[in-house]
Amino acid sequence: MTRTSVHLVNRPSGMVEPSDFEVREGDIPSPAEGEVLVKVSHISLDPAMRGWMNEGKSYIAPVGLGDVMRAGAVGEVLESGAAGFQKGDWVQGTLGVQTHALVKGNELTKVDTSSVPPERYLSALGMPGLTAYFGLLEVGALKEGETVVVSAASGAVGAIVCQIAKLKGARVVGLAGSEEKCAYLTDTLGIDAAINYKTENVTKAMAAACPKGVDVYFDNVGGEILEAAMSLLARHGRIVICGAISGYNDFGAIRGPRNYMNLLVQHGRMEGFVVFDYHDRYGEGVAQLAKWLSEGKIEAKEDVREGGVRRYVDTLNLLFSGENFGKLVLKA
Ligand SMILES: NC(=O)c1ccc[n+]([C@@H]2O[C@H](COP(=O)([O-])OP(=O)(O)OC[C@H]3O[C@@H](n4cnc5c(N)ncnc54)[C@H](OP(=O)(O)O)[C@@H]3O)[C@@H](O)[C@H]2O)c1
């Protein structure tokens, strides 16, 4: 058996190309003291990965040229040199796009896969679930009876935001890029209205769906949808900047929202956040999400793709074409 790893060798400009990465084969390493050898099982594919490939200052250092591509993942311990871990344990951590990872024990978290599939720790019980939870309730400060608009609403973060907002007694309006995704939002998740932003006039449809204006806009996409939500902001409305996927591959001049003065007019607030801000409270978030899941109050949807780490680039790009439906995960 060998270890297969995917290394960033070129910083993409625009969409990621297979030539931006090199696949390497090597021996499987042995753990030194304090280290754990993990057989990677499921790899989280995230829009943020596109930003990690760029040079420059961000909330996290860029992946170095030649380095294994950074990725959150779950896997099974093959061999342990670290106290507290043994062969057969399931763990979660930043394992990278590779089949085997050598990681320090203190950088891993054990997960229980006896009643939950491993990939759930990359979706509702992992980073996207926590992003939705803290982003909506802490940054968005959602209150019962308010109107929430969510973009990329059927995705990993968006679908959890929609469901928490419903649980908290909000009117929820989601935007998604296909009829199938819109039907999932209204019929399965039970939100109040869904807008297909690819076929509808977004501003008109949003105005019709939000007769009292938008109290919280949970922004996953930026661009024109952000501008539409901003134009409909209610008094003391909040815009949560979670992401701006519409611009991640765009190296041209990205225009800011032209109507930002509406924040002044409506005494509004726009605030960005990174889920890591809430690291100290992950336990609380995961416990609440797990409770809602086990009670059937929210549901998780993962889109697990086969093909192994060699399929990394093609699978990642599904996020930008909207071909994923649910949390995108690659089986290592
Ligand atoms: N702040 C944080 O800590 C944090 C943490 C996690 C994620 N995020 C951000 O949250 C957002 C969602 O991430 P996710 O992991 O949940 O991904 P996701 O929603 O599961 O997948 C991305 C979706 O974005 C939509 N999309 C792609 N290009 C678009 C465009 N040009 N305009 C509008 N929609 C577009 C597509 O859905 P449609 O078919 O509906 O177009 C696609 O399925 C991203 O912006 C990500 O960077 C932020």
Side-chain angles (χ1 to χ4, degrees):
M1 242 194 349
T2 56
R3 168 203 214 174
T4 309
S5 49
V6 177
H7 300 250
L8 180 71
V9 293
N10 183 44
R11 301 208 180 276
S13 60
M15 289 291 280
V16 184
E17 303 284 345
S19 57
D20 297 323
F21 287 88
E22 202 172 275
V23 180
R24 297 182 192 161
E25 300 278 343
D27 292 337
I28 296 173
S30 290
E33 205 184 320
E35 289 181 336
V36 179
L37 175 66
V38 183
K39 169 89 181 73
V40 181
S41 160
H42 293 78
I43 300 171
S44 176
L45 299 196
D46 296 291
M49 287 172 150
R50 181 63 193 81
W52 302 341
M53 297 171 197
N54 296 337
E55 193 80 84
K57 197 169 174 287
S58 186
Y59 64 94
I60 192 171
V63 175
L65 287 178
D67 290 354
V68 174
M69 183 60 203
R70 180 189 296 138
V74 286
E76 192 177 353
V77 172
L78 287 184
E79 208 181 326
S80 175
F85 294 92
Q86 58 185 28
K87 188 173 160 46
D89 285 344
W90 277 80
V91 292
Q92 174 187 25
T94 307
L95 305 180
V97 183
Q98 55 187 343
T99 55
H100 299 77
L102 201 54
V103 192
K104 292 199 178 82
N106 60 12
E107 292 171 0
L108 293 170
T109 308
K110 275 200 218 180
V111 294
D112 179 1
T113 55
S114 59
S115 56
V116 170
E119 61 270 25
R120 187 102 348 127
Y121 291 99
L122 304 176
S123 71
L125 289 179
M127 189 271 290
L130 291 165
T131 303
Y133 181 83
F134 291 113
L136 181 66
L137 301 180
E138 296 295 329
V139 188
L142 177 69
K143 291 191 280 294
E144 190 179 345
E146 290 190 322
T147 298
V148 182
V149 172
V150 186
S151 49
S154 73
V157 175
I160 304 295
V161 173
C162 286
Q163 295 178 86
I164 297 175
K166 277 312 297 174
L167 280 175
K168 296 289 177 185
R171 173 173 176 77
V172 184
V173 176
L175 292 104
S178 75
E179 291 305 311
E180 191 192 4
K181 289 180 176 182
C182 286
Y184 169 73
L185 289 168
T186 50
D187 303 350
T188 306
L189 302 189
I191 71 166
D192 299 280
I195 299 167
N196 182 339
Y197 73 91
K198 289 188 177 162
T199 58
E200 297 181 58
N201 177 317
V202 169
T203 307
K204 270 192 188 161
M206 212 187 277
C210 305
K212 294 183 187 163
V214 177
D215 296 299
V216 177
Y217 171 50
F218 194 101
D219 189 18
N220 284 316
V221 306
E224 287 167 13
I225 299 176
L226 166 61
E227 217 165 77
M230 195 170 265
S231 71
L232 294 167
L233 206 64
R235 198 167 168 88
H236 298 299
R238 287 86 68 200
I239 295 176
V240 179
I241 313 172
C242 176
I245 194 170
S246 72
Y248 289 178
N249 290 300
D250 191 350
F251 277 58
I254 299 175
R255 285 213 196 98
R258 288 166 294 188
N259 54 351
Y260 79 97
M261 278 300 281
N262 221 27
L263 289 171
L264 179 153
V265 173
Q266 297 294 15
H267 305 254
R269 170 165 70 80
M270 183 162 166
E271 185 176 337
F273 79 107
V274 177
V275 66
F276 309 149
D277 301 343
Y278 295 92
H279 186 264
D280 292 347
R281 292 177 59 194
Y282 281 179
E284 165 202 330
V286 169
Q288 181 59 79
L289 291 159
K291 186 164 184 287
W292 282 331
L293 279 167
S294 67
E295 292 170 350
K297 291 190 173 154
I298 62 171
E299 71 155 50
K301 184 172 172 59
E302 291 96 15
D303 182 345
V304 180
R305 302 288 172 136
E306 304 280 338
V309 296
R310 289 177 182 276
R311 300 284 304 159
Y312 170 63
V313 172
D314 293 345
T315 314
L316 179 72
N317 279 333
L318 300 176
L319 291 168
F320 302 104
S321 60
E323 285 168 89
N324 67 305
F325 192 173
K327 169 64 206 162
L328 188 62
V329 173
L330 178 63
K331 270 186 96 171

